[in-house]
């Protein structure tokens, strides 16, 4: 695409007369791209009072519908651009039909942005749309899980026991020196090569007594990414024999989703993003779940913007700290670990014994290793 045609697409149809040569009138795929962009971004013109110049009986191209527009966008633009356009359609222009119409929703690219939107509009989904939304949520969750699970499992699978070997061939447990010693008798002097007939792998110590992990997750609207990653982490941890996992979500009420801790999709389908925040009430509820304080970790995932009197939250956290429960306050659980939280409230909780951090899920796993070792 020549630079003038690119500028014509960027500036929109009203820039055509001001551009030299043929750049003002786009044809072929460039014309289709122009119509697809105008379908969405032309709303800016209408929002400023400009009328659509398409007139009845004209020779203008057929008008796009939402479904055909999505097809055009997916066919004409690179994947990265498609995701940006779909995000603008949902966030900037409020085209919620994208996720409430089955035919339209089926054409959307499953990604975390779409998952956030589906969660925020869950109350408006029903029938075929709800079934399709569940399938999309599972697809995105499984992709996130595939990215996180290997490293989390490595971090939490126990320390290597260098005095014992295992028949399990696991790459991170490979005993290089032991393998060399075991196979020295197979050295081929003629070729000057060591022939490896038997690989050696260290055993890992397994933790006999399980730890209780309580994930207490703020489900206010700003915490969507943290809710998603908390649900996935709960599923990963629940599959490990060393942990018993409970997950609790809260706003001004508390919902215990521990029965679905091993299934992130079911957890997310029961989340209701939005509402106020009563962190103290949620922490008090989690206090009632503690059976063995010395082997319990409470991970509070929140922005620390307490809606209730802050003194109540401080007292609830202090009670848990005095009982020797391991406490972690996570300001963020998204993949970028961008902290956005009430630092003053976080500092007060830190003074009570809660460690405050902004960690990716992988780093959370390494933190757990340090706490329970």
């Amino acid at each position: 695409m020549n630079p003038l045609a690119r500028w014509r697409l960027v500036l929109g149809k009203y820039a055509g007369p001001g551009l030299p040569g043929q750049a003002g009138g786009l044809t072929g795929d460039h014309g289709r791209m122009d119509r697809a962009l105008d379908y969405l971004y032309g709303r800016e013109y209408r929002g400023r009072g400009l009328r659509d110049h398409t007139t009845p009986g004209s020779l203008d191209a057929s008008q796009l519908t939402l479904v055909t527009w999505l097809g055009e966008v997916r066919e004409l633009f690179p994947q990265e651009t498609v995701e940006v356009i779909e995000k603008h359609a949902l966030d900037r222009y409020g085209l919620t039909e994208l996720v409430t119409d089955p035919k339209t929703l089926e054409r959307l690219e499953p990604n975390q942005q779409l998952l956030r939107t589906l969660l925020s509009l869950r109350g408006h989904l029903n029938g075929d749309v709800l079934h399709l939304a569940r399938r999309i949520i599972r697809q995105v969750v499984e992709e996130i899980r595939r990215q996180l699970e290997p490293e989390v499992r490595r971090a939490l699978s126990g320390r290597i026991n260098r005095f014992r070997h295992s028949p399990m061939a696991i790459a991170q447990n490979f005993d290089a020196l032991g393998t060399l010693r075991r196979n020295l008798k197979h050295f081929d002097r003629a070729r000057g090569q060591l022939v490896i007939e038997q690989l050696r792998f260290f055993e890992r110590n397994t933790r006999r007594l399980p730890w209780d992990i309580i994930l207490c997750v703020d489900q206010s609207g700003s915490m969507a990414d943290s809710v998603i990653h908390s649900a996935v982490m709960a599923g990963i941890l629940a599959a490990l024999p060393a942990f018993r996992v409970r997950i609790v979500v809260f706003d001004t009420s508390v919902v215990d989703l521990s029965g679905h801790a091993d299934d992130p999709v079911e957890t997310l389908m029961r989340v209701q993003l939005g509402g106020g925040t009563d962190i103290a009430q949620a922490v008090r509820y989690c206090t009632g779940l503690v059976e063995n304080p010395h082997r319990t970790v409470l991970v509070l995932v929140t922005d620390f913007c307490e809606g209730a009197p802050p003194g109540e939250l401080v007292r609830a956290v202090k009670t848990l700290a005095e009982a020797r429960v391991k406490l972690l306050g996570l300001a963020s659980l998204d993949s970028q670990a961008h902290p956005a939280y009430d630092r003053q409230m976080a500092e007060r909780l830190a003074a009570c014994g809660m460690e405050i951090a902004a960690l990716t899920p992988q780093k959370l796993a390494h933190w757990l290793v340090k706490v329970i070792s």
Side-chain angles (χ1 to χ4, degrees):
M1 182 185 300
N2 66 65
L4 283 176
R6 188 182 298 274
W7 272 112
R8 166 63 181 76
L9 288 174
V10 170
L11 296 174
K13 62 185 178 183
Y14 293 108
L19 293 175
Q22 300 297 316
L26 299 174
T27 58
D29 284 348
H30 293 165
R32 291 169 61 198
M33 295 170 91
D34 184 42
R35 287 190 293 275
L37 292 173
D38 186 63
Y39 177 86
L40 182 65
Y41 298 106
R43 296 159 201 267
E44 295 285 350
Y45 297 123
R46 292 193 287 276
R48 297 171 189 175
L50 294 177
R51 294 182 179 179
D52 193 334
H53 288 188
T54 302
T55 56
S58 74
L59 296 178
D60 291 327
S62 300
Q63 296 300 296
L64 293 172
T65 65
L66 194 58
V67 174
T68 56
W69 171 74
L70 268 177
E72 289 284 272
V73 168
R74 298 289 295 278
E75 180 181 344
L76 295 167
F77 295 96
Q79 179 60 41
E80 299 82 3
T81 306
V82 171
E83 292 186 6
V84 171
I85 291 174
E86 289 178 357
K87 181 178 187 299
H88 288 169
L90 288 165
D91 294 350
R92 184 185 296 181
Y93 301 109
L95 293 182
T96 55
E97 309 97 284
L98 287 174
V99 293
T100 55
D101 176 70
K103 291 182 180 178
T104 308
L105 180 57
E106 199 164 25
R107 288 175 172 262
L108 289 175
E109 181 69 22
N111 54 45
Q112 193 165 320
Q113 169 62 30
L114 179 58
L115 175 52
R116 286 196 297 269
T117 302
L118 288 172
L119 294 181
S120 65
L121 296 174
R122 191 179 61 81
H124 301 285
L125 307 179
N126 50 57
D128 292 341
V129 174
L130 186 60
H131 178 74
L132 182 56
R134 183 184 291 271
R135 193 179 76 196
I136 291 172
I137 290 171
R138 185 169 297 281
Q139 186 175 343
V140 177
V141 162
E142 286 304 315
E143 178 58 32
I144 296 172
R145 187 170 189 152
R146 276 194 295 272
Q147 295 171 8
L148 299 181
E149 189 165 27
E151 185 172 346
V152 171
R153 279 184 170 272
R154 280 197 297 272
L156 296 171
S157 59
R159 292 181 174 177
I160 287 178
N161 183 347
R162 298 186 179 276
F163 299 99
R164 299 188 62 178
H165 288 86
S166 168
M168 299 293 292
I170 301 174
Q172 64 264 30
N173 299 346
F174 180 57
D175 178 7
L177 290 177
T179 297
L180 286 172
R181 283 194 294 266
R182 176 57 62 94
N183 293 278
L184 280 174
K185 62 184 177 181
H186 304 303
F187 184 74
D188 187 331
R189 294 181 180 276
R191 291 187 296 171
Q193 292 180 344
L194 180 67
V195 179
I196 303 296
E197 290 191 359
Q198 183 180 1
L199 298 174
R200 302 273 280 172
F201 296 89
F202 288 121
E203 187 179 80
R204 281 186 178 266
N205 294 323
T206 56
R207 301 180 177 92
R208 302 298 179 187
L209 294 176
W211 280 77
D212 291 325
I213 308 294
I214 303 173
L215 291 171
C216 185
V217 187
D218 187 340
Q219 63 174 350
S220 60
S222 62
M223 298 294 295
D225 283 319
S226 293
V227 170
I228 293 168
H229 284 92
S230 295
V232 175
M233 277 295 293
I236 295 171
L237 294 174
L240 298 174
F243 302 105
R244 293 183 300 193
V245 180
R246 290 187 169 97
I247 182 167
V248 173
V249 297
F250 67 91
D251 40 40
T252 52
S253 60
V254 179
V255 181
D256 191 332
L257 298 176
S258 301
H260 306 286
D262 61 342
D263 190 340
V265 177
E266 290 303 320
T267 298
L268 292 174
M269 290 300 293
R270 286 164 172 76
V271 164
Q272 184 63 60
L273 296 177
T277 309
D278 189 341
I279 308 174
Q281 179 181 222
V283 173
R284 285 195 298 269
Y285 178 86
C286 291
T287 302
L289 300 178
V290 176
E291 297 176 2
N292 184 353
H294 294 82
R295 296 189 70 82
T296 299
V297 179
L298 172 65
V299 181
L300 175 63
V301 186
T302 182
D303 56 10
F304 300 100
C305 296
E306 175 65 302
E312 293 295 317
L313 175 56
V314 171
R315 280 189 286 274
V317 169
K318 188 176 294 185
T319 298
L320 285 168
E322 290 171 350
R324 307 296 294 275
V325 172
K326 306 291 190 298
L327 300 171
L328 173 65
L330 275 186
S332 175
L333 262 182
D334 72 6
S335 58
Q336 302 300 317
H338 291 152
Y341 59 99
D342 184 333
R343 294 177 183 273
Q344 185 176 5
M345 187 73 249
E347 287 171 1
R348 292 184 65 179
L349 299 185
C352 297
M354 175 178 281
E355 186 173 342
I356 306 296
L359 304 176
T360 63
Q362 294 95 330
K363 290 182 179 178
L364 171 60
H366 289 290
W367 182 88
L368 285 173
V369 170
K370 293 179 182 178
V371 168
I372 65 182
S373 296

